[in-house]
Amino acid sequence: MDYKEVLKTIADSVEGSIGIGLIGLDGMIVDQYSAEPDFDVAMVGVEYSSVIKNASKASQDFGLGPTTEILITTEQATMIMMMVGKSYFAVLAIGEDGNLGRGRLEMKKHIPRMEQEMME
Amino acid sequence: MEENANNSEVDINKFLKEIESLGGKLEANPDSMVFAPLADAYRKSGMLDQAEEVCQLGLEKHPQFSSARVVLGRIFLEQKKYSEAAEEFRQVLKDEMDNLMANTLIGHALLGERKFKEAAEALRRALVLNPDDPGLQSTLDDAIAYSKGLKEPPPEEESEPTLVEAVDGKPETKTVAPAEPPEDVVPAKIELAKDAGERVEDKAEGPAPIKATGSGAGNITASLKVAEMHMKRGNFDLAVPIYEEVVAADPDNLIAHSKLKEACAKVDAAAGDPSITSAVKEETSVSTGDGVVAESEAAVAEQREAEDGVTDLKGGMLDLDLPLVDMAGLEKSTGEKENDAAEQDLAVKEVPGREDKEDAVIEQGPTTEVSSAREEETGGQAAAAVAEDDESMADVAAGVLDEVGGEVADKGVSGDDELAGVALVEPVEEASVALAEEESESVSAAAAVIDEPQETLMQSPGEGVDFTAVLARLNETAGIVGSMLVAPGDGSVFDQVLTVEMDTSEIGQMVSAIYNNVHKSVNSLNQGKLTQVLITARDGQVFLNTTSYGVLAILANEKIRIGMLRLALKEAVNDIEKTVREG
């Protein structure tokens, strides 16, 4: 599977998307697509992989089971992170005027395909 | 033997392909971080010199890339350069104290250095992070035995191959990203007995292999799943003891407490003994502020049917991989019926309340009514928020059930999930697409209602300011099971309203840790001020919102509507500001 193509499909479907990446929980990038050249998916992957790990630990500690999604909203962007299997996550960055709902929808539509591919 | 050789050959070929692919990427973009998986692929192929060279060069450009440093440590470990390996892992642990891999591998590096006492300490830390790993426990036992002279350490040359073997762990199964992280990167709740390391058994010589095991919370999670299955099938009496065991094993488990109460209430109600039901109701109201009201046996039975329908619908929708906006559409299309459904009192209602100040909460009406009133008050805003909320499949299913009532179960939803799912979803597909198109506006509206975040250095609310009334009001929102205002600096809790007894200081620390972790990442990415963090897990959600006076943390069940939650949050944040101003 061409992960970049899938990532691009997601990003292109979401108004205001800045960039998207498929990243391992160790911060390693599988593939990425940036709608804006300044957006460094690699840095995002490194930074947020540790957030995901800590959040996952916390949600287990809270008794909430495994983490499936994390949304981080800042004054400049919203990051939607969804788990892809157990060891990877997809992160979509959307600008402040972007369509968050559409972003989540598109990710949820495409992630099962990526998971399926990874399992194979 | 021959099969093993074939497997090794397959693995080597796989790694060589990875090296070729990753090498191409690195050549195309020499500054990329792909050097780390490339180095790891070299390591796995046994090309340790190339692995070290690639990794060292990459780390010169990205010195903070901790995963790459772990890779380099592993390379050193396999080169038997134990002190260099230990140094790399130490650097990782400076920034990430709870890095399981670094803690585990430094233990092995120290064993290689014959520093058994230090190795035991490192392995003990690793075991705290991953208490269910028998291999790790065994290695720790050995390290302790060596350090105390209870056991003769193996000669260096004998121990090393075991270490190398161990570090490799299980073979890679994926080709898309060679540096697959271990499955146990999500450590379980820390419940390690302090004397875990004291148990020394006479085992085979040499350190045991490291095994990547599943989550340490596996037993609890599995138990909850089994219990949930019993609940789903209406076998509440079978679910109760399981929930009791989970609560006993993990007293802070919010979900287990909540489910136990629910199961007990249903068992009592199903037994048709209203006095017991009342007793349960009274007990939960007084002790926890959490009321479970079973109107009648029939009502409970009907609710049970409805819940079966919800679960089955949820499963059906999952199987169909239907876009969640469709479900939001369902919810919206059926939302107007919700008030009616609430008035019929068909459902068992949960009334989140306060733990220690009953008078402020106990008089509040059922949640459903409160949320209905809130919807009426907020009007279009609420509708927009609901439209924005594409999250909860269970919510949507509940919305459907509100519309079709008990008919869902009668029509055999549980017997044919997929067909039922299709039947229910198809009529609203067009509306759902329209909703998706409209989401941009609704999202902006929802985002706009959240107050501007403050700087990390938040103001002190001052002495004697009581936020419990604000939090109690917030907890009226359906799905919220607790809220608290936490100082992000030290995790101290200004005020909290929880529906079950929990260690608030522990939660405060966790909230603080998550918030600070995210804040640090947001800062380093120059993304401006952090406003909100939402963590969605299988069984619930944690929502953190920056306020002027601390982090407002909300624990919610998995059925919470995000749109409604954000509206309630907006009110709560305003109320917090107002409370401080007034007092």
Side-chain angles (χ1 to χ4, degrees):
Chain A
M1 175 186 254
D2 187 345
Y3 291 105
K4 189 184 278 297
E5 194 56 39
V6 178
L7 296 173
K8 186 174 182 303
T9 303
I10 296 172
D12 289 348
S13 309
V14 181
E15 304 95 285
S17 68
I18 300 171
I20 185 168
L22 177 60
I23 298 162
L25 279 180
D26 57 358
M28 308 286 190
I29 292 183
V30 177
D31 229 324
Q32 59 173 302
Y33 171 75
S34 291
E36 292 184 10
D38 292 344
F39 182 71
D40 187 347
V41 178
M43 280 302 293
V44 168
V46 172
E47 287 294 343
Y48 286 128
S49 60
S50 73
V51 167
I52 288 194
K53 282 190 273 189
N54 288 343
S56 297
K57 180 178 179 299
S59 65
Q60 293 280 11
D61 287 349
F62 279 125
L64 301 178
T67 301
T68 55
E69 180 185 351
I70 297 178
L71 280 179
I72 295 175
T73 306
T74 72
E75 61 182 1
Q76 289 178 6
T78 295
M79 315 295 295
I80 307 170
M81 288 171 271
M82 290 188 189
M83 292 303 296
V84 181
K86 287 182 179 174
S87 305
Y88 299 87
F89 67 98
V91 55
L92 172 66
I94 299 176
E96 54 183 333
D97 295 325
N99 190 335
L100 175 60
R102 170 66 79 181
R104 297 178 71 211
L105 167 66
E106 292 297 330
M107 287 180 80
K108 283 179 177 171
K109 268 166 65 177
H110 290 91
I111 280 176
R113 280 176 58 203
M114 292 195 275
E115 283 179 332
Q116 182 70 28
E117 181 70 17
M118 284 179 164
M119 283 173 70
E120 289 169 0
Chain B
M1 198 67 177
E2 192 177 327
E3 192 180 337
N4 286 342
N6 288 339
N7 287 341
S8 300
E9 198 174 326
V10 169
D11 285 345
I12 292 292
N13 286 335
K14 188 181 78 178
F15 296 139
L16 289 176
K17 277 185 185 173
E18 285 176 9
I19 289 168
E20 193 179 342
S21 162
L22 294 166
K25 286 185 181 179
L26 187 62
E27 202 173 329
N29 185 3
D31 290 337
S32 82
M33 296 162 109
V34 79
F35 74 89
L38 175 59
D40 208 37
Y42 273 125
R43 179 189 67 80
K44 288 170 187 166
S45 327
M47 293 186 255
L48 297 178
D49 291 342
Q50 291 92 329
E52 184 188 344
E53 187 183 349
V54 168
C55 210
Q56 295 272 29
L57 284 173
L59 275 167
E60 282 175 17
K61 293 177 183 173
H62 303 280
Q64 301 300 319
F65 192 7
S66 61
S67 296
R69 214 161 274 291
V70 171
V71 171
L72 182 58
R74 294 180 77 158
I75 294 164
F76 284 143
L77 204 51
E78 295 191 19
Q79 290 173 327
K80 299 168 190 172
K81 297 177 183 172
Y82 298 118
S83 62
E84 287 95 330
E87 184 51 37
E88 295 301 325
F89 298 131
R90 274 191 203 101
Q91 285 201 44
V92 173
L93 293 170
K94 268 185 203 168
D95 293 330
E96 298 176 20
M97 274 184 65
D98 59 352
N99 187 312
L100 174 61
M101 191 64 85
N103 273 302
T104 305
L105 293 174
I106 198 174
H108 283 262
L110 292 165
L111 278 175
E113 287 190 89
R114 323 292 278 181
K115 294 177 179 173
F116 301 121
K117 194 175 174 186
E118 288 177 49
E121 285 170 12
L123 292 166
R124 194 177 280 125
R125 280 196 300 275
L127 199 57
V128 166
L129 294 168
N130 189 17
D132 289 348
D133 189 333
L136 199 52
Q137 177 67 62
S138 169
T139 310
L140 170 61
D141 291 345
D142 286 337
I144 292 169
Y146 301 149
S147 68
K148 292 184 176 176
L150 299 172
K151 195 172 168 184
E152 189 67 25
E156 284 187 45
E157 287 307 307
E158 283 182 22
S159 65
E160 284 152 5
T162 313
L163 280 169
V164 173
E165 188 81 13
V167 171
D168 260 331
K170 60 176 186 157
E172 297 285 327
T173 54
K174 294 172 185 143
T175 56
V176 288
E180 184 189 1
E183 290 181 3
D184 50 0
V185 290
V186 182
K189 185 176 176 70
I190 297 168
E191 287 180 352
L192 179 71
K194 284 181 182 170
D195 61 349
E198 302 305 318
R199 288 180 280 116
V200 179
E201 293 166 25
D202 191 16
K203 293 193 174 116
E205 297 246 318
I210 301 167
K211 290 180 187 171
T213 61
S215 163
N219 291 340
I220 286 179
T221 305
S223 298
L224 286 173
K225 275 185 185 170
V226 173
E228 191 61 34
M229 201 184 302
H230 287 312
M231 292 288 282
K232 186 177 162 186
R233 290 174 183 171
N235 300 325
F236 307 121
D237 52 337
L238 298 176
V240 167
I242 299 174
Y243 284 131
E244 282 174 344
E245 281 176 21
V246 173
V247 166
D250 184 4
D252 293 340
N253 192 317
L254 189 67
I255 298 299
H257 277 285
S258 168
K259 296 280 187 185
L260 175 59
K261 274 184 210 161
E262 186 184 340
C264 286
K266 286 182 176 175
V267 167
D268 293 342
D273 186 342
S275 65
I276 297 174
T277 308
S278 302
V280 170
K281 181 172 74 177
E282 193 168 334
E283 188 274 329
T284 51
S285 296
V286 171
S287 64
T288 67
D290 188 5
V292 178
V293 184
E295 292 293 334
S296 67
E297 189 178 348
V300 172
E302 198 155 355
Q303 169 68 7
R304 191 170 67 197
E305 282 183 5
E307 288 186 350
D308 284 347
V310 168
T311 314
D312 289 333
L313 272 172
K314 184 174 170 181
M317 289 175 176
L318 277 171
D319 292 343
L320 289 166
D321 186 25
L322 292 168
L324 292 181
V325 168
D326 286 350
M327 300 167 192
L330 274 170
E331 192 169 71
K332 188 176 182 184
S333 68
T334 59
E336 291 172 6
K337 306 275 184 181
E338 287 185 6
N339 293 351
D340 294 338
E343 284 167 13
Q344 289 167 17
D345 269 336
L346 292 178
V348 174
K349 300 164 186 167
E350 293 189 3
V351 186
R354 292 176 51 184
E355 183 183 352
D356 55 353
K357 298 178 183 176
E358 297 85 353
D359 52 349
V361 175
I362 283 178
E363 290 178 10
Q364 290 162 358
T367 304
T368 314
E369 290 169 13
V370 173
S371 60
S372 299
R374 193 184 287 269
E375 281 185 39
E376 284 168 14
E377 284 170 21
T378 50
Q381 273 184 315
V386 169
E388 184 270 329
D389 170 22
D390 59 3
E391 167 60 23
S392 173
M393 287 173 278
D395 264 3
V396 176
V400 174
L401 287 166
D402 281 342
E403 185 168 33
V404 301
E407 292 176 15
V408 172
D410 295 337
K411 285 177 181 173
V413 170
S414 60
D416 196 344
D417 298 346
E418 292 197 1
L419 288 177
V422 171
L424 288 164
V425 170
E426 274 182 353
V428 293
E429 274 188 352
E430 289 180 16
S432 304
V433 172
L435 275 171
E437 296 298 334
E438 289 168 13
E439 276 191 334
S440 181
E441 287 180 20
S442 59
V443 170
S444 299
V449 300
I450 307 298
D451 276 13
E452 279 291 304
Q454 303 298 311
E455 295 293 341
T456 316
L457 190 59
M458 294 164 183
Q459 305 164 46
S460 165
E463 287 292 318
V465 179
D466 186 358
F467 295 106
T468 49
V470 176
L471 300 179
R473 273 199 297 279
L474 181 61
N475 283 10
E476 289 169 11
T477 305
I480 292 181
V481 292
S483 56
M484 56 172 56
L485 193 63
V486 177
D490 60 1
S492 59
V493 178
F494 293 133
D495 263 316
Q496 90 281 343
V497 177
L498 299 170
T499 54
V500 293
E501 200 165 327
M502 297 175 77
D503 183 345
T504 52
S505 65
E506 189 185 348
I507 297 175
Q509 295 297 326
M510 279 197 276
V511 165
S512 166
I514 297 170
Y515 186 84
N516 290 331
N517 185 212
V518 176
H519 187 268
K520 187 178 154 195
S521 294
V522 167
N523 271 354
S524 67
L525 292 169
N526 291 321
Q527 291 185 331
K529 294 178 208 164
L530 173 61
T531 310
Q532 294 174 333
V533 182
L534 171 65
I535 300 168
T536 303
R538 189 194 58 212
D539 300 325
Q541 306 189 47
V542 181
F543 200 106
L544 311 181
N545 195 95
T546 309
T547 78
S548 303
Y549 304 99
V551 178
L552 178 57
I554 294 170
L555 306 180
N557 66 27
E558 74 278 13
K559 296 177 183 174
I560 190 82
R561 296 172 182 170
I562 299 175
M564 185 59 76
L565 175 62
R566 294 177 84 165
L567 274 175
L569 256 173
K570 178 246 179 184
E571 289 178 21
V573 171
N574 286 342
D575 286 349
I576 286 171
E577 311 287 338
K578 191 177 166 190
T579 302
V580 174
R581 276 200 307 273
E582 292 174 355

